[in-house]
Amino acid sequence: QVQLVESGGDSVQTGGSLTLSCEASKYTISGNYMAWFRQVPGKKREGVAAIHIGGDRFHYGDSVKGRFTISQDSAKNMLYLQMNDLNPGDAATYYCAARKGAAWAVRLPLDERTYNYWGQGTQVTVSS
């Protein structure tokens, strides 16, 4: 079955940077929508960034615009999230998500209901 495996979570200080990676198996990322979400206990999962791979469409949540960059390497079947200028509000478990449906049908790229496959998450901690 489809597997998404995140890595790269760590503990950093305010102002620091991290790059998260997501390796997809039994799923071809090219041509599909993928995204990064994050969640803290007791709160709803929040869409951070999404990308239509090969379609050059990028979407970012308001709280991360200008600081986070989503990218991909379709040759390696990998998704990335570069996170800069981190603050304690960015601390969360970060999840990689992938869609199995047609990319043209996506209306809410940062809504979790758009995605069918999820990774197990990687923890990001930011200390002040």
Side-chain angles (χ1 to χ4, degrees), residues 93-114:
T93 300
Y94 283 72
Y95 297 92
C96 173
R99 174 178 169 83
K100 69 177 179 180
W104 61 263
V106 172
R107 294 294 178 264
L108 299 171
L110 295 178
D111 189 309
E112 61 179 322
R113 294 169 295 180
T114 294

Side-chain angles (χ1 to χ4, degrees), residues 45-64:
R45 195 171 293 187
E46 174 191 6
V48 174
I51 180 173
H52 175 199
I53 297 171
D56 289 331
R57 275 183 278 170
F58 303 85
H59 312 271
Y60 293 95
D62 289 341
S63 62
V64 306

Side-chain angles (χ1 to χ4, degrees), residues 40-99:
V40 297
K43 289 195 173 181
K44 185 182 174 184
R45 195 171 293 187
E46 174 191 6
V48 174
I51 180 173
H52 175 199
I53 297 171
D56 289 331
R57 275 183 278 170
F58 303 85
H59 312 271
Y60 293 95
D62 289 341
S63 62
V64 306
K65 280 179 183 175
R67 300 188 299 122
F68 289 14
T69 303
I70 190 170
S71 64
Q72 54 82 26
D73 185 336
S74 55
K76 296 181 179 179
N77 227 34
M78 296 283 293
L79 182 73
Y80 304 100
L81 183 69
Q82 173 68 42
M83 307 186 293
N84 296 326
D85 193 23
L86 287 161
N87 61 65
D90 297 315
T93 300
Y94 283 72
Y95 297 92
C96 173
R99 174 178 169 83

